[in-house]
């Protein structure tokens, strides 16, 4: 009984590390910066989640800290990659040749995203 | 034994990053490479059984120090143009 | 050319020096006498499970006071140097920060602050302590400034927190002279049960003050170097 | 290879990092590059100090279920260098910030980051 739980946890942790490896492979293989950010973020978020769930199955007495870690990764990982991609778009990092559409640029044209100082000093 | 191998790999990475940080002409690349040196050094501290030092180095060396460098670089660029 | 030769000679000299210093260093196999004493009787004399904390706060407490003072001094000089020239108002257009970062920072900043407080309250039991907790709190402040670059952080609040915690640190040390064996002795309160949160006498209280002081000093450095801050 | 152990590897890394820091401090002409060299020098010294305090095959100096109090002297590494390095890292950040503030003031005087332009005290 005990060993089965250990094996299930080990399989989950191993599959998590496989996803992280795929993310690292995507960083090398993808054509431009935005695709690389997507590959790195999505694969590594799923991989970290699977690893942490595997740890949760193996050692259930750590559940509090592990669930906090999962929530933290769930918030920080997508937000940071979103900020990186946004900054790269603003300083004009070129897209790959095969790119079909650039939604952000279209939206910037039609709605003219505000480019002025926001007065949010007191809130 | 595996710890020794990890330490050798991390040590080589630290030295490469340090040479990049000194030798690269672009200041932004240099600052980020110096932050990476601190991040790898915190892994070395963890291998050397010093978790307190590893926490401090990860929070200060690679977080706050890099941010301070970028703030100063930003101020200099703003005065320039 | 002369200069390059000089630098090369200096580097070779350093290599020679370090080679002589560490040529027969083969790694330790046992602790030296001082560390052996700390390891054997640290839990009876101080009561902290984390021996690094015991060394930082009690055995070498005076050094910690000096180092916190040095940090205060460097923060004060930074704010002195940058105070005079911040009159030029800057008309450069800033892009609005993205909504996602704004919302996420509202969720994350309290969590980061609570984590920093957890780190320095549990400094005598787990890895961590005042210095790490202060750095984590300052990182939370960096996240606030990234989400709203124009937000003014109150310098007055930072300086009040810094002064009160520094003063309390010194007063607790003096109380050690009056009520216990010496400066910064932690036996004013009872040592408690080893390994629980209310143990190790005065160490958690001192580390809370050290954490607040370090956090306030690092925050002051960051807000002074950040671009759009006006001095109050 | 047989006498190559963990603390020797980290000691060599620290010394090499320190030498790279000194080299950068002496050869670079840009003020910010000199500050980066000083930060590397700092990190090198910290790595050297922690690796001198390491004892073979022992764990971190924290007493818990794994390290009982009566056998602590045989199981933990030296806590004193770790405590010194802990504070030295924080001081290092303060010194770096101080040097960067000076760099900023010097840039405001001469509008240049080149060290050769600051020759007011040269004779």
């Amino acid at each position: 009984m005990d060993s089965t739980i250990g094996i299930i946890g080990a399989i989950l942790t191993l599959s998590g590390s496989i996803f992280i490896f795929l993310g690292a492979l995507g960083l090398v293989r993808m054509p431009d910066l935005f695709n690389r950010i997507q590959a790195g973020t999505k694969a590594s978020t799923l991989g970290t989640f699977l690893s942490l769930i595997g740890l949760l199955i193996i050692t259930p007495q750590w559940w509090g800290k592990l669930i906090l870690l999962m929530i933290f990764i769930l918030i920080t990982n997508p937000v940071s990659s979103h900020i990186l991609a946004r900054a790269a778009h603003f300083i004009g990092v070129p897209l790959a040749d095969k790119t079909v559409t650039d939604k952000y640029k279209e939206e910037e044209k039609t709605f003219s995203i505000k480019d002025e100082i926001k007065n949010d000093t007191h809130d | 034994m595996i710890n020794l191998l990890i330490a050798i790999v991390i040590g080589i990475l630290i030295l490469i990053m340090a040479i990049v940080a000194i030798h690269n002409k672009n200041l932004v690349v240099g600052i980020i490479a110096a932050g990476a040196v601190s991040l790898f050094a915190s892994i070395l501290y963890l291998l050397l059984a010093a978790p307190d030092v590893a926490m401090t180095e990860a929070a200060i060396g690679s977080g706050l120090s890099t941010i301070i460098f970028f703030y100063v670089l930003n101020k200099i660029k703003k005065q320039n143009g | 050319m002369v200069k390059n030769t000089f630098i090369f000679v200096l580097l070779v000299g350093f290599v020679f020096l370090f080679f002589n210093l560490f040529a027969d260093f083969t790694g330790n196999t046992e602790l030296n006498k001082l560390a052996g004493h700390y390891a054997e009787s640290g839990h009876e004399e101080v009561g902290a499970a984390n021996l690094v904390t015991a060394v930082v706060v009690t055995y070498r407490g005076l050094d910690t006071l000096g180092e916190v003072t040095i940090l205060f001094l460097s923060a004060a000089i930074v704010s002195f140097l940058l105070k005079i020239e911040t009159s030029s108002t800057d008309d450069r257009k800033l892009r609005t920060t993205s909504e996602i970062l704004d919302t996420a920072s509202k969720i994350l900043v309290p969590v980061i602050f609570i984590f920093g407080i957890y780190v320095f309250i549990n400094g005598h039991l787990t890895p961590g302590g005042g210095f790490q907790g202060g750095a984590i709190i300052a990182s939370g402040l960096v996240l606030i400034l990234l989400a709203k670059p124009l937000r003014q952080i109150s310098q007055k609040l930072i300086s009040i927190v810094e002064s009160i915690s520094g003063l309390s640190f010194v007063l607790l040390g003096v109380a050690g002279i009056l009520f216990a064996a010496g400066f910064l002795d932690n036996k004013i309160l009872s040592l408690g049960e080893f390994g629980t949160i209310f143990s190790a006498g005065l160490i958690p209280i001192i580390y809370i003050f050290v954490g607040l002081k370090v956090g306030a000093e690092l925050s002051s450095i960051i807000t002074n170097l950040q671009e759009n801050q006006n001095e109050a | 290879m047989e006498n190559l152990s963990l603390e020797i590897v980290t000691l060599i890394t620290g010394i090499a990092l320190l030498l790279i820091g000194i080299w950068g401090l002496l050869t670079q002409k840009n003020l910010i590059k000199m500050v980066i060299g000083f930060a590397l020098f700092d990190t090198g010294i910290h790595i050297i100090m922690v690796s001198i305090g390491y004892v073979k095959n022992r764990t971190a100096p924290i007493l818990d279920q794994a390290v009982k109090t009566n056998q602590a002297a045989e199981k933990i590494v030296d806590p004193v260098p770790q405590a010194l390095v802990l504070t030295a890292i924080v001081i290092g950040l303060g010194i770096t910030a101080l040097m960067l503030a000076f760099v900023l003031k010097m840039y405001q005087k001469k509008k240049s980051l080149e060290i050769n332009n600051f020759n007011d005290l040269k004779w």
Side-chain angles (χ1 to χ4, degrees), chain C residues 18-97:
Chain C
F18 282 116
F19 186 76
N20 275 340
L21 269 180
F22 296 115
D24 49 354
F25 178 77
T26 52
N28 306 311
T29 49
E30 56 187 17
L31 295 176
N32 57 24
K33 212 171 171 186
L34 180 71
H37 173 76
Y38 288 163
E40 270 172 18
S41 51
H43 62 99
E44 290 164 5
E45 289 178 3
V46 179
N50 186 349
L51 285 175
V52 177
T53 300
V55 173
V56 167
V57 180
T58 305
Y59 288 119
R60 302 261 164 204
L62 201 59
D63 293 4
T64 307
L65 182 61
E67 274 156 350
V68 170
T69 314
I70 293 172
L71 192 61
F72 164 70
L73 205 61
S74 67
I77 296 175
V78 167
S79 85
F80 167 71
L81 281 177
L82 300 177
K83 187 162 191 161
I84 304 160
E85 41 81 31
T86 40
S87 58
S88 65
T89 54
D90 144 59
D91 296 331
R92 198 180 56 150
K93 298 208 166 170
L94 278 179
R95 221 170 239 114
T96 53
T97 48

Side-chain angles (χ1 to χ4, degrees), chain C residues 101-113:
Chain C
L101 178 61
D102 209 10
T103 315
S105 81
K106 272 177 195 148
I107 301 171
L108 280 178
V109 167
V111 179
I112 291 174
F113 279 178

Side-chain angles (χ1 to χ4, degrees), chain B:
Chain B
M1 196 59 209
I2 188 81
N3 281 3
L4 183 63
L5 280 179
I6 296 173
I8 291 172
V9 172
I10 299 279
I12 293 169
L13 276 175
I14 282 181
L15 296 183
I16 291 172
M17 283 293 170
I19 290 173
V20 166
I22 295 293
H23 212 71
N24 201 305
K25 286 278 180 286
N26 193 345
L27 277 179
V28 177
V29 177
I31 292 169
I32 290 176
V37 168
S38 281
L39 205 57
F40 288 130
S42 82
I43 301 176
L44 275 192
Y45 294 140
L46 208 57
L47 291 180
L48 288 170
D52 294 85
V53 185
M55 272 178 83
T56 320
E57 182 77 38
I60 287 182
S62 60
L64 293 178
S65 183
T66 315
I67 282 276
I68 285 177
F69 270 107
F70 274 123
Y71 278 159
V72 169
L73 200 63
N74 208 358
K75 277 195 162 186
I76 285 174
K77 272 183 186 159
K78 203 170 74 179
Q79 285 174 9
N80 203 10

Side-chain angles (χ1 to χ4, degrees), chain C residues 104-143:
Chain C
S105 81
K106 272 177 195 148
I107 301 171
L108 280 178
V109 167
V111 179
I112 291 174
F113 279 178
I114 288 173
F115 178 59
I117 291 169
Y118 170 83
V119 165
F120 61 66
I121 285 178
N122 278 290
H124 58 299
L125 300 177
T126 52
F131 291 96
Q132 293 94 326
I136 290 168
I137 286 180
S139 328
L141 192 101
V142 169
L143 184 56

Side-chain angles (χ1 to χ4, degrees), chain A residues 32-38 79-96 102 104-105 108, chain C residues 95 98:
Chain A
D32 70 342
L33 187 138
F34 301 99
N35 285 322
R36 282 179 193 165
I37 284 180
Q38 192 194 15
V79 169
S80 59
S81 72
H82 153 76
I83 292 299
L84 281 177
R86 189 170 185 266
H89 189 277
F90 280 139
I91 64 172
V93 173
L95 300 175
D102 188 353
Y104 206 92
K105 199 172 245 172
E108 225 168 13
Chain C
R95 221 170 239 114
S98 90

Side-chain angles (χ1 to χ4, degrees), chain C residues 15 18 22 25-29 31 35 38-39 49-52 56 67 71 77 81 85 127 131-132 218 221, chain D residues 7-8 18-19 52 54 56 58 61-63 69 72 76 78 80 82-83 86-87 90-91 93 97-98 105 108:
Chain C
V15 171
F18 282 116
F22 296 115
F25 178 77
T26 52
N28 306 311
T29 49
L31 295 176
Y38 288 163
N50 186 349
L51 285 175
V52 177
V56 167
E67 274 156 350
L71 192 61
I77 296 175
L81 281 177
E85 41 81 31
F131 291 96
Q132 293 94 326
L218 295 182
I221 289 177
Chain D
E7 59 266 37
I8 303 284
L18 190 146
L19 290 174
I52 286 176
Y54 182 74
K56 280 188 179 62
R58 295 199 184 181
I62 293 165
L63 310 173
T69 51
I76 61 169
D78 195 345
V80 183
Q82 296 190 13
L86 183 69
T87 43
V90 183
I91 300 299
L93 178 71
L98 190 58
K105 291 303 273 189
Q108 282 166 2

